[in-house]
Coordinates of all heavy atoms in Angstrom, one line a residue:
M656 N -19.8 3.9 10.0 CA -19.6 3.9 8.6 C -20.3 2.8 8.0 O -20.2 1.7 8.5 CB -18.2 4.0 8.3 CG -17.8 4.2 6.9 SD -16.1 4.5 6.6 CE -15.5 5.3 8.0
D657 N -21.0 3.0 6.8 CA -21.7 1.9 6.3 C -20.8 1.1 5.4 O -19.7 1.5 5.0 CB -22.9 2.3 5.4 CG -22.6 3.2 4.3 OD1 -21.5 3.1 3.8 OD2 -23.4 4.1 4.0
N658 N -21.2 -0.1 5.0 CA -20.4 -1.0 4.2 C -20.0 -0.5 2.8 O -19.0 -0.7 2.2 CB -21.1 -2.4 4.1 CG -20.9 -3.2 5.2 OD1 -20.0 -3.0 6.1 ND2 -21.9 -4.2 5.4
K659 N -20.9 0.3 2.2 CA -20.6 0.9 0.8 C -19.5 1.7 0.9 O -18.5 1.7 0.0 CB -21.8 1.6 0.4 CG -23.0 0.8 -0.1 CD -24.0 1.6 -0.9 CE -24.8 2.5 0.0 NZ -25.8 3.1 -0.6
C660 N -19.3 2.6 2.0 CA -18.1 3.4 2.0 C -16.8 2.7 2.3 O -15.8 2.9 1.7 CB -18.3 4.4 3.3 SG -19.5 5.7 2.9
G661 N -16.9 1.7 3.2 CA -15.7 0.8 3.4 C -15.2 0.1 2.3 O -13.9 -0.1 2.2
K662 N -16.0 -0.3 1.3 CA -15.5 -1.1 0.2 C -14.4 -0.2 -0.6 O -13.6 -0.8 -1.2 CB -16.7 -1.5 -0.7 CG -17.6 -2.6 0.0 CD -18.6 -2.9 -1.0 CE -19.6 -4.0 -0.3 NZ -20.7 -4.3 -1.2
H663 N -14.6 1.0 -0.7 CA -13.9 1.9 -1.5 C -12.4 2.0 -1.1 O -11.5 2.2 -1.9 CB -14.5 3.2 -1.8 CG -15.8 3.2 -2.6 ND1 -15.8 2.8 -3.9 CD2 -17.1 3.3 -2.2 CE1 -17.0 2.8 -4.3 NE2 -17.9 3.1 -3.2
Y664 N -12.3 2.0 0.2 CA -10.9 2.3 0.7 C -10.4 1.1 1.5 O -9.2 1.1 1.9 CB -10.9 3.5 1.5 CG -11.6 3.4 2.9 CD1 -11.0 2.8 4.0 CD2 -12.9 3.8 3.0 CE1 -11.7 2.8 5.2 CE2 -13.6 3.7 4.2 CZ -12.9 3.2 5.3 OH -13.6 3.1 6.5
K665 N -11.1 0.0 1.6 CA -10.6 -1.2 2.4 C -9.3 -1.7 1.7 O -8.4 -2.2 2.6 CB -11.7 -2.3 2.4 CG -11.3 -3.4 3.3 CD -12.6 -4.3 3.4 CE -12.2 -5.4 4.4 NZ -13.4 -6.3 4.5
K666 N -9.2 -1.7 0.5 CA -7.9 -2.2 -0.2 C -6.7 -1.4 0.3 O -5.6 -2.0 0.1 CB -8.1 -2.2 -1.7 CG -8.3 -0.8 -2.3 CD -8.5 -0.8 -3.7 CE -8.8 0.5 -4.3 NZ -9.0 0.4 -5.8
Y667 N -6.8 -0.3 0.8 CA -5.6 0.5 1.3 C -5.3 0.2 2.7 O -4.3 0.8 3.2 CB -5.9 2.1 1.0 CG -6.1 2.3 -0.4 CD1 -7.4 2.7 -0.9 CD2 -5.1 2.2 -1.4 CE1 -7.7 3.0 -2.2 CE2 -5.4 2.4 -2.7 CZ -6.6 2.9 -3.1 OH -6.8 3.1 -4.4
T668 N -6.0 -0.6 3.4 CA -5.7 -0.8 4.8 C -4.3 -1.3 5.1 O -3.7 -0.9 6.1 CB -6.8 -1.9 5.4 OG1 -8.1 -1.4 5.1 CG2 -6.5 -2.2 6.8
E669 N -3.8 -2.2 4.3 CA -2.4 -2.7 4.4 C -1.5 -1.6 4.2 O -0.4 -1.6 4.9 CB -2.2 -3.9 3.5 CG -2.7 -5.2 4.0 CD -2.3 -5.6 5.4 OE1 -1.0 -5.6 5.6 OE2 -3.1 -6.0 6.2
Y670 N -1.7 -0.8 3.3 CA -0.7 0.4 3.0 C -0.8 1.4 4.2 O 0.3 1.8 4.7 CB -1.1 1.2 1.8 CG -1.1 0.3 0.5 CD1 -2.2 0.2 -0.3 CD2 0.1 -0.3 0.1 CE1 -2.2 -0.5 -1.4 CE2 0.2 -1.1 -1.1 CZ -1.0 -1.1 -1.8 OH -0.9 -1.9 -3.0
A671 N -1.9 1.5 4.8 CA -2.0 2.5 6.0 C -1.3 1.8 7.1 O -0.6 2.5 7.9 CB -3.5 2.7 6.3
K672 N -1.4 0.5 7.3 CA -0.7 -0.2 8.4 C 0.9 -0.1 8.1 O 1.5 0.2 9.1 CB -1.1 -1.6 8.4 CG -0.5 -2.4 9.6 CD -0.8 -4.0 9.3 CE -1.8 -4.5 10.3 NZ -2.0 -5.8 10.2
F673 N 1.3 -0.2 6.9 CA 2.7 0.0 6.6 C 3.2 1.4 7.1 O 4.2 1.5 7.7 CB 3.0 -0.3 5.1 CG 4.3 0.1 4.6 CD1 5.3 -0.9 4.9 CD2 4.6 1.3 4.0 CE1 6.6 -0.5 4.5 CE2 5.8 1.5 3.5 CZ 6.9 0.7 3.8
F674 N 2.4 2.4 6.6 CA 2.9 3.8 7.0 C 2.7 4.1 8.5 O 3.4 4.8 9.1 CB 2.0 4.8 6.2 CG 2.6 4.9 4.8 CD1 1.9 4.3 3.7 CD2 3.9 5.5 4.6 CE1 2.5 4.4 2.4 CE2 4.4 5.5 3.2 CZ 3.7 5.0 2.2
E675 N 1.8 3.4 9.1 CA 1.7 3.5 10.7 C 3.0 2.9 11.2 O 3.5 3.5 12.2 CB 0.5 2.7 11.1 CG 0.2 2.8 12.6 CD -1.1 2.1 13.0 OE1 -2.0 2.1 12.2 OE2 -1.1 1.6 14.1
I676 N 3.4 1.9 10.7 CA 4.7 1.3 11.2 C 5.9 2.2 11.1 O 6.7 2.4 12.0 CB 5.0 -0.1 10.5 CG1 4.0 -1.1 10.7 CG2 6.4 -0.6 10.8 CD1 3.7 -1.5 12.2
L677 N 5.9 2.9 10.0 CA 7.0 3.9 9.7 C 6.8 5.2 10.5 O 7.7 6.0 10.4 CB 7.0 4.2 8.1 CG 7.6 3.1 7.3 CD1 7.6 3.6 5.9 CD2 8.9 2.6 7.8
S678 N 5.7 5.4 11.2 CA 5.5 6.7 11.9 C 6.3 6.8 13.2 O 6.1 7.7 14.0 CB 4.0 6.8 12.2 OG 3.5 5.9 13.1
N679 N 7.0 5.8 13.6 CA 7.7 5.7 14.8 C 9.2 6.0 14.6 O 9.9 5.3 13.8 CB 7.6 4.3 15.6 CG 8.2 4.3 16.9 OD1 9.4 4.2 16.9 ND2 7.5 4.4 17.9
P680 N 9.8 7.0 15.3 CA 11.2 7.4 15.1 C 12.2 6.2 15.4 O 13.2 6.1 14.7 CB 11.4 8.6 16.0 CG 10.2 8.5 17.0 CD 9.1 7.8 16.4
I681 N 11.9 5.4 16.3 CA 12.8 4.2 16.6 C 12.8 3.3 15.5 O 13.9 2.9 15.0 CB 12.5 3.6 18.0 CG1 12.7 4.5 19.2 CG2 13.3 2.3 18.2 CD1 12.2 4.1 20.5
R682 N 11.7 3.0 14.9 CA 11.6 2.1 13.7 C 12.3 2.7 12.6 O 13.0 1.9 11.9 CB 10.2 1.7 13.4 CG 9.5 1.0 14.5 CD 8.2 0.5 14.2 NE 7.4 0.2 15.4 CZ 6.2 0.6 15.8 NH1 5.5 1.4 14.9 NH2 5.7 0.2 16.9
I683 N 12.2 3.9 12.3 CA 12.9 4.6 11.2 C 14.3 4.5 11.5 O 15.2 4.3 10.6 CB 12.5 6.1 11.0 CG1 11.0 6.1 10.6 CG2 13.3 6.9 10.0 CD1 10.4 7.5 10.5
G684 N 14.7 4.8 12.7 CA 16.3 4.7 13.1 C 16.8 3.4 12.9 O 17.9 3.2 12.4
I685 N 16.0 2.3 13.2 CA 16.5 1.0 12.9 C 16.8 0.7 11.4 O 17.8 0.2 10.9 CB 15.5 0.0 13.5 CG1 15.5 0.0 15.0 CG2 16.0 -1.5 13.0 CD1 14.3 -0.8 15.6
I686 N 15.8 1.1 10.6 CA 15.9 1.0 9.2 C 17.1 1.8 8.7 O 17.9 1.2 7.9 CB 14.6 1.4 8.5 CG1 13.4 0.5 8.8 CG2 14.8 1.5 6.9 CD1 12.1 1.0 8.4
V687 N 17.3 3.0 9.1 CA 18.4 3.8 8.7 C 19.7 3.2 9.1 O 20.7 3.1 8.3 CB 18.3 5.3 9.1 CG1 19.6 6.1 8.9 CG2 17.1 5.9 8.5
A688 N 19.8 2.7 10.3 CA 21.0 2.0 10.7 C 21.3 0.8 10.0 O 22.5 0.5 9.8 CB 20.8 1.6 12.3
L689 N 20.4 0.2 9.4 CA 20.6 -1.1 8.6 C 20.8 -0.8 7.1 O 21.1 -1.6 6.3 CB 19.5 -2.1 8.7 CG 19.3 -2.6 10.1 CD1 18.0 -3.5 10.2 CD2 20.5 -3.4 10.6
A690 N 20.7 0.5 6.7 CA 20.9 0.9 5.3 C 22.2 0.6 4.7 O 22.2 0.1 3.5 CB 20.7 2.4 5.2
D691 N 23.3 0.6 5.4 CA 24.6 0.2 4.9 C 25.0 -1.2 5.2 O 26.2 -1.6 4.9 CB 25.6 1.2 5.4 CG 25.8 1.2 6.9 OD1 25.0 0.6 7.6 OD2 26.7 1.9 7.4
G692 N 24.1 -2.0 5.5 CA 24.4 -3.5 5.8 C 23.9 -3.9 7.2 O 23.5 -3.2 8.0
P693 N 24.1 -5.3 7.4 CA 23.6 -6.0 8.6 C 24.3 -5.4 9.8 O 25.4 -5.0 9.7 CB 24.0 -7.4 8.4 CG 24.1 -7.6 6.9 CD 24.6 -6.2 6.4
K694 N 23.6 -5.4 11.0 CA 24.2 -5.0 12.2 C 23.6 -5.8 13.3 O 22.5 -6.3 13.3 CB 23.9 -3.5 12.5 CG 24.7 -2.6 11.7 CD 24.5 -1.1 12.1 CE 25.3 -0.1 11.3 NZ 25.1 -0.3 9.9
K695 N 24.4 -6.0 14.4 CA 23.9 -6.7 15.6 C 23.1 -5.7 16.4 O 23.3 -4.5 16.3 CB 25.1 -7.2 16.4 CG 25.9 -8.3 15.7 CD 27.0 -8.9 16.6 CE 27.6 -10.0 15.9 NZ 28.6 -10.7 16.8
P696 N 22.1 -6.3 17.2 CA 21.3 -5.4 18.0 C 22.1 -4.4 18.8 O 21.7 -3.2 19.1 CB 20.5 -6.4 18.8 CG 20.4 -7.6 17.9 CD 21.7 -7.7 17.2
K697 N 23.2 -4.8 19.4 CA 23.9 -4.0 20.2 C 24.5 -2.8 19.5 O 24.6 -1.7 20.0 CB 25.0 -4.6 21.1 CG 26.2 -5.1 20.4 CD 27.2 -5.8 21.5 CE 28.4 -6.1 20.9 NZ 29.4 -6.6 21.9
E698 N 24.9 -3.0 18.2 CA 25.4 -1.9 17.4 C 24.2 -0.8 17.2 O 24.4 0.3 17.1 CB 25.9 -2.5 16.0 CG 27.1 -3.3 16.3 CD 27.5 -3.9 14.8 OE1 26.7 -4.8 14.4 OE2 28.5 -3.6 14.4
I699 N 23.0 -1.4 16.9 CA 22.0 -0.5 16.6 C 21.5 0.2 17.9 O 21.2 1.4 17.8 CB 20.7 -1.3 16.1 CG1 21.0 -2.0 14.8 CG2 19.5 -0.4 15.9 CD1 20.0 -3.0 14.3
R700 N 21.6 -0.5 19.0 CA 21.3 0.2 20.3 C 22.2 1.4 20.6 O 21.9 2.5 21.0 CB 21.4 -0.7 21.5 CG 20.1 -1.5 21.7 CD 20.1 -2.2 23.1 NE 21.4 -2.6 23.6 CZ 21.9 -3.8 23.5 NH1 21.4 -4.8 22.8 NH2 23.1 -4.0 24.1
A701 N 23.5 1.1 20.2 CA 24.6 2.2 20.4 C 24.3 3.4 19.5 O 24.5 4.6 19.9 CB 26.0 1.7 20.1
L702 N 23.8 3.2 18.2 CA 23.6 4.3 17.3 C 22.4 5.0 17.7 O 22.3 6.2 17.6 CB 23.4 3.6 15.9 CG 24.6 3.2 15.2 CD1 24.1 2.5 14.0 CD2 25.5 4.3 14.8
L703 N 21.3 4.4 18.3 CA 20.1 5.0 18.6 C 20.0 5.4 20.0 O 19.2 6.4 20.3 CB 18.9 4.2 18.3 CG 18.7 3.6 16.9 CD1 17.5 2.7 16.7 CD2 18.7 4.8 15.9
G704 N 20.8 4.9 20.9 CA 20.8 5.2 22.3 C 19.5 4.9 23.0 O 19.0 5.5 23.9
V705 N 19.0 3.7 22.6 CA 17.8 3.2 23.3 C 18.1 1.9 24.0 O 19.0 1.2 23.7 CB 16.6 2.9 22.3 CG1 16.2 4.2 21.5 CG2 17.0 1.9 21.2
P706 N 17.3 1.6 25.1 CA 17.5 0.4 25.9 C 17.1 -0.8 25.0 O 16.3 -0.8 24.1 CB 16.6 0.5 27.1 CG 15.7 1.6 26.8 CD 16.2 2.4 25.7
Q707 N 17.7 -1.9 25.4 CA 17.5 -3.2 24.6 C 16.1 -3.7 24.6 O 15.6 -4.0 23.5 CB 18.4 -4.4 25.3 CG 18.3 -5.7 24.7 CD 17.2 -6.5 25.0 OE1 16.8 -6.6 26.1 NE2 16.6 -7.2 24.0
P708 N 15.3 -3.6 25.7 CA 13.9 -4.1 25.6 C 13.0 -3.2 24.5 O 12.3 -3.8 23.8 CB 13.3 -3.9 26.9 CG 14.5 -3.9 27.8 CD 15.6 -3.3 27.1
L709 N 13.3 -1.9 24.5 CA 12.6 -1.1 23.6 C 13.0 -1.4 22.1 O 12.2 -1.4 21.2 CB 12.9 0.4 23.9 CG 12.1 1.4 23.2 CD1 10.6 1.3 23.4 CD2 12.5 2.8 23.6
L710 N 14.3 -1.6 21.9 CA 14.8 -1.9 20.6 C 14.2 -3.2 20.1 O 13.7 -3.4 19.0 CB 16.4 -2.0 20.5 CG 16.9 -2.4 19.2 CD1 16.8 -1.2 18.3 CD2 18.4 -2.8 19.3
S711 N 14.2 -4.3 21.0 CA 13.6 -5.5 20.7 C 12.1 -5.4 20.3 O 11.7 -6.0 19.3 CB 13.7 -6.5 21.8 OG 15.0 -6.8 22.1
Q712 N 11.4 -4.6 21.0 CA 10.0 -4.4 20.7 C 9.8 -3.8 19.3 O 8.8 -4.3 18.6 CB 9.3 -3.4 21.8 CG 7.9 -3.1 21.6 CD 7.5 -1.9 22.6 OE1 8.2 -1.6 23.4 NE2 6.2 -1.6 22.4
H713 N 10.6 -2.8 19.0 CA 10.3 -2.2 17.7 C 10.9 -3.1 16.6 O 10.3 -3.1 15.5 CB 11.0 -0.8 17.7 CG 10.1 0.1 18.5 ND1 8.9 0.6 18.2 CD2 10.4 0.7 19.7 CE1 8.4 1.5 19.0 NE2 9.3 1.5 20.0
A714 N 12.0 -3.7 16.8 CA 12.5 -4.6 15.8 C 11.5 -5.8 15.5 O 11.3 -6.2 14.4 CB 13.8 -5.2 16.3
S715 N 10.8 -6.2 16.5 CA 9.8 -7.3 16.4 C 8.7 -6.8 15.3 O 8.3 -7.6 14.5 CB 9.3 -7.8 17.7 OG 10.1 -8.4 18.4
V716 N 8.3 -5.6 15.6 CA 7.3 -5.1 14.7 C 7.8 -5.0 13.2 O 7.0 -5.4 12.3 CB 6.8 -3.6 15.2 CG1 5.9 -3.0 14.2 CG2 6.2 -3.7 16.5
L717 N 8.9 -4.6 13.1 CA 9.6 -4.5 11.7 C 9.7 -5.8 11.1 O 9.5 -6.0 9.9 CB 10.9 -3.8 11.7 CG 10.8 -2.3 12.1 CD1 12.2 -1.7 12.3 CD2 10.1 -1.5 11.0
K718 N 10.1 -6.9 12.0 CA 10.2 -8.3 11.4 C 8.8 -8.8 11.0 O 8.6 -9.4 10.0 CB 10.7 -9.2 12.6 CG 12.2 -9.0 12.7 CD 12.7 -9.9 13.9 CE 14.1 -9.4 14.3 NZ 14.4 -9.9 15.7
E719 N 7.8 -8.5 11.9 CA 6.4 -9.0 11.5 C 5.9 -8.4 10.2 O 5.3 -9.0 9.5 CB 5.5 -8.6 12.7 CG 5.6 -9.4 13.9 CD 4.8 -9.0 15.1 OE1 3.8 -8.2 14.8 OE2 5.1 -9.3 16.2
M720 N 6.3 -7.2 9.9 CA 5.9 -6.5 8.7 C 6.8 -6.9 7.4 O 6.5 -6.6 6.4 CB 5.9 -5.1 8.8 CG 4.8 -4.4 9.6 SD 3.1 -4.9 8.9 CE 3.2 -3.8 7.4
G721 N 7.7 -7.7 7.8 CA 8.7 -8.2 6.6 C 9.6 -7.1 6.2 O 10.1 -7.2 5.0
I722 N 10.0 -6.2 7.0 CA 10.9 -5.1 6.7 C 12.3 -5.5 7.0 O 13.2 -5.2 6.3 CB 10.5 -3.8 7.3 CG1 9.0 -3.3 6.9 CG2 11.5 -2.7 7.1 CD1 8.5 -2.2 7.5
I723 N 12.5 -6.1 8.1 CA 13.8 -6.6 8.5 C 13.8 -8.1 8.8 O 12.8 -8.7 8.9 CB 14.4 -5.8 9.7 CG1 13.7 -6.2 11.0 CG2 14.5 -4.3 9.5 CD1 14.3 -5.5 12.2
E724 N 15.0 -8.6 8.7 CA 15.1 -10.2 9.1 C 16.5 -10.3 9.7 O 17.4 -9.6 9.5 CB 14.9 -11.0 7.8 CG 16.0 -10.7 6.7 CD 15.8 -11.4 5.5 OE1 14.8 -12.2 5.4 OE2 16.6 -11.1 4.5
R725 N 16.7 -11.5 10.2 CA 18.0 -11.9 10.7 C 18.8 -12.5 9.6 O 18.2 -13.2 8.7 CB 17.8 -13.0 11.8 CG 17.2 -12.4 13.1 CD 17.7 -13.3 14.3 NE 17.1 -12.6 15.5 CZ 17.6 -11.6 16.2 NH1 18.7 -11.1 15.8 NH2 17.0 -11.2 17.3
V726 N 20.1 -12.2 9.6 CA 20.9 -12.9 8.5 C 20.9 -14.4 8.6 O 20.7 -15.0 7.6 CB 22.4 -12.3 8.8 CG1 23.3 -13.0 7.7 CG2 22.5 -10.7 8.5
D727 N 20.9 -14.9 9.8 CA 20.9 -16.3 10.0 C 19.5 -16.5 10.8 O 19.5 -16.3 12.0 CB 22.0 -16.9 10.8 CG 22.0 -18.3 11.1 OD1 20.9 -19.0 10.7 OD2 22.8 -18.9 11.6
K728 N 18.5 -17.0 10.2 CA 17.2 -17.1 10.8 C 17.1 -18.0 12.0 O 16.2 -18.0 12.8 CB 16.2 -17.5 9.7 CG 15.9 -16.4 8.8 CD 14.8 -16.9 7.7 CE 14.5 -15.9 6.8 NZ 15.4 -15.5 5.7
F729 N 18.2 -18.9 12.1 CA 18.2 -19.9 13.1 C 19.0 -19.5 14.3 O 19.2 -20.3 15.3 CB 18.6 -21.3 12.6 CG 17.7 -21.7 11.4 CD1 18.1 -21.7 10.1 CD2 16.4 -22.2 11.7 CE1 17.3 -22.2 9.1 CE2 15.6 -22.6 10.7 CZ 16.0 -22.6 9.4
N730 N 19.7 -18.3 14.2 CA 20.5 -17.9 15.3 C 20.0 -16.6 15.9 O 19.9 -15.5 15.3 CB 21.9 -17.7 14.8 CG 23.0 -17.2 15.7 OD1 22.6 -16.9 17.0 ND2 24.2 -17.1 15.4
V731 N 19.5 -16.7 17.2 CA 18.9 -15.5 17.7 C 19.9 -14.3 17.9 O 19.4 -13.2 17.9 CB 18.4 -15.9 19.2 CG1 17.8 -14.7 19.9 CG2 17.4 -17.1 19.1
K732 N 21.1 -14.6 17.9 CA 22.1 -13.5 18.1 C 22.7 -13.0 16.7 O 23.7 -12.2 16.7 CB 23.2 -14.0 19.0 CG 22.8 -14.3 20.4 CD 24.0 -14.5 21.4 CE 23.3 -14.8 22.7 NZ 24.1 -14.3 23.8
S733 N 22.1 -13.5 15.7 CA 22.5 -13.1 14.4 C 22.2 -11.7 14.1 O 21.2 -11.1 14.5 CB 21.8 -14.0 13.3 OG 22.0 -13.6 12.0
P734 N 23.1 -11.0 13.4 CA 22.7 -9.6 12.9 C 21.4 -9.6 12.2 O 21.0 -10.5 11.5 CB 24.0 -9.2 12.0 CG 25.0 -10.2 12.3 CD 24.3 -11.5 12.8
C735 N 20.9 -8.3 12.2 CA 19.7 -8.1 11.4 C 20.1 -7.3 10.1 O 21.1 -6.6 10.1 CB 18.7 -7.1 12.2 SG 18.0 -8.0 13.6
Q736 N 19.2 -7.5 9.1 CA 19.4 -6.7 7.8 C 18.1 -6.4 7.3 O 17.0 -6.9 7.7 CB 20.1 -7.7 6.9 CG 19.4 -8.9 6.4 CD 20.2 -9.8 5.6 OE1 21.3 -9.5 5.3 NE2 19.5 -10.9 5.2
L737 N 18.1 -5.5 6.4 CA 16.9 -5.1 5.7 C 16.5 -6.3 4.7 O 17.3 -6.8 4.0 CB 17.1 -3.8 4.8 CG 17.2 -2.5 5.6 CD1 17.6 -1.4 4.7 CD2 16.0 -2.3 6.5
K738 N 15.2 -6.6 4.8 CA 14.7 -7.7 3.8 C 14.7 -7.2 2.5 O 15.0 -8.0 1.5 CB 13.4 -8.1 4.4 CG 13.0 -9.4 3.7 CD 11.8 -10.1 4.5 CE 11.4 -11.4 3.9 NZ 10.3 -12.0 4.6
D739 N 14.3 -6.0 2.3 CA 14.1 -5.4 0.9 C 14.5 -3.9 1.0 O 13.9 -3.1 1.7 CB 12.7 -5.5 0.5 CG 12.5 -5.0 -0.9 OD1 13.4 -4.4 -1.6 OD2 11.3 -5.2 -1.4
K740 N 15.6 -3.5 0.3 CA 16.1 -2.2 0.4 C 15.3 -1.1 -0.3 O 15.6 0.1 -0.2 CB 17.5 -2.2 -0.1 CG 18.5 -2.9 0.8 CD 20.0 -2.5 0.6 CE 20.8 -3.1 1.6 NZ 22.0 -2.3 1.8
T741 N 14.1 -1.4 -0.9 CA 13.2 -0.5 -1.5 C 12.7 0.5 -0.4 O 12.3 1.6 -0.7 CB 12.2 -1.0 -2.4 OG1 11.4 -2.0 -1.7 CG2 12.8 -1.7 -3.6
I742 N 12.6 -0.1 0.8 CA 12.1 0.8 1.9 C 12.9 2.1 2.1 O 12.5 3.1 2.4 CB 12.1 0.0 3.3 CG1 11.4 0.8 4.4 CG2 13.5 -0.4 3.7 CD1 10.1 0.7 4.5
L743 N 14.3 2.0 1.7 CA 15.1 3.1 1.8 C 14.7 4.2 0.7 O 14.7 5.5 1.0 CB 16.5 2.7 1.5 CG 17.1 1.8 2.5 CD1 18.5 1.3 2.1 CD2 17.1 2.4 3.9
D744 N 14.1 3.8 -0.4 CA 13.6 4.8 -1.3 C 12.3 5.6 -0.8 O 12.3 6.8 -1.0 CB 13.1 4.1 -2.7 CG 14.3 3.5 -3.4 OD1 15.5 4.0 -3.3 OD2 14.2 2.4 -4.1
I745 N 11.5 4.8 0.0 CA 10.4 5.5 0.6 C 10.9 6.5 1.6 O 10.4 7.6 1.7 CB 9.5 4.5 1.3 CG1 8.9 3.6 0.2 CG2 8.4 5.1 2.1 CD1 8.2 2.4 0.7
L746 N 11.9 6.2 2.4 CA 12.4 7.1 3.4 C 13.1 8.3 2.7 O 13.0 9.4 3.1 CB 13.4 6.4 4.3 CG 12.8 5.3 5.2 CD1 13.8 4.8 6.2 CD2 11.6 5.9 6.1
K747 N 13.8 8.0 1.6 CA 14.5 9.1 0.9 C 13.4 10.1 0.3 O 13.6 11.3 0.3 CB 15.3 8.7 -0.3 CG 16.6 7.9 0.3 CD 17.4 7.3 -0.9 CE 18.6 6.5 -0.5 NZ 19.2 5.8 -1.6
A748 N 12.3 9.5 -0.2 CA 11.2 10.4 -0.7 C 10.7 11.3 0.3 O 10.2 12.3 0.0 CB 10.3 9.4 -1.4
A749 N 10.8 10.8 1.6 CA 10.1 11.6 2.7 C 11.2 12.6 3.1 O 10.9 13.4 4.1 CB 9.8 10.7 3.8
G750 N 12.4 12.6 2.5 CA 13.4 13.5 2.9 C 14.4 13.1 4.1 O 15.1 13.9 4.6
I751 N 14.3 11.8 4.4 CA 15.2 11.3 5.4 C 16.5 10.8 4.7 O 16.5 10.1 3.7 CB 14.6 10.1 6.1 CG1 13.2 10.5 6.7 CG2 15.3 9.4 7.0 CD1 12.3 9.4 7.2
K752 N 17.6 11.2 5.4 CA 18.9 10.8 4.8 C 19.2 9.5 5.4 O 19.3 9.2 6.5 CB 20.0 11.9 5.4 CG 19.8 13.2 4.8 CD 20.9 14.1 5.2 CE 20.5 15.6 4.6 NZ 21.6 16.5 5.0
V753 N 19.5 8.6 4.3 CA 19.9 7.2 4.5 C 21.2 6.9 3.9 O 21.7 7.5 3.1 CB 18.9 6.2 4.1 CG1 17.5 6.4 4.9 CG2 18.6 6.3 2.6

């Protein structure tokens, strides 16, 4: 693809990355699990039925994108929470019950 074509849609790259992050069912499950407030990782694991390493991997991706955060950023065992609840509006618009 030539540079002229790339200029027109390059500004949408971050949005595409955001929706790529949301394309995983475990990540959506984590967000839905946190919809009603902070939860510890073991609570989320129990709700989703996934092993701890898999949950950690997907939670890290959500943290890197600024979707979730720890309640106490200095405590590794602190519960996680949604950083911005507007993500729930996006899921609702997609027909996901939160």
Side-chain angles (χ1 to χ4, degrees):
M656 187 170 330
D657 64 29
N658 281 338
K659 286 193 287 184
C660 290
K662 289 178 185 177
H663 294 291
Y664 67 86
K665 189 174 185 177
K666 61 184 174 183
Y667 299 112
T668 302
E669 282 302 309
Y670 298 123
K672 185 187 249 183
F673 172 77
F674 284 106
E675 184 179 326
I676 296 301
L677 290 181
S678 71
N679 184 282
I681 295 172
R682 293 183 200 134
I683 292 172
I685 293 169
I686 294 167
V687 171
L689 296 174
D691 60 352
K694 288 191 180 42
K695 292 185 176 186
K697 74 177 189 176
E698 294 174 291
I699 299 169
R700 276 195 330 264
L702 288 170
L703 300 181
V705 297
Q707 185 274 326
L709 189 58
L710 181 71
S711 292
Q712 176 187 359
H713 289 287
S715 292
V716 172
L717 293 172
K718 285 178 201 162
E719 287 173 20
M720 285 299 291
I722 296 171
I723 67 171
E724 65 185 355
R725 294 208 178 272
V726 172
D727 178 355
K728 293 176 174 74
F729 301 106
N730 182 353
V731 178
K732 297 191 182 216
S733 174
C735 292
Q736 65 185 1
L737 293 175
K738 192 169 183 177
D739 182 352
K740 290 198 172 206
T741 56
I742 186 81
L743 299 175
D744 294 332
I745 295 168
L746 296 181
K747 287 176 188 174
I751 299 169
K752 293 182 182 185
V753 294

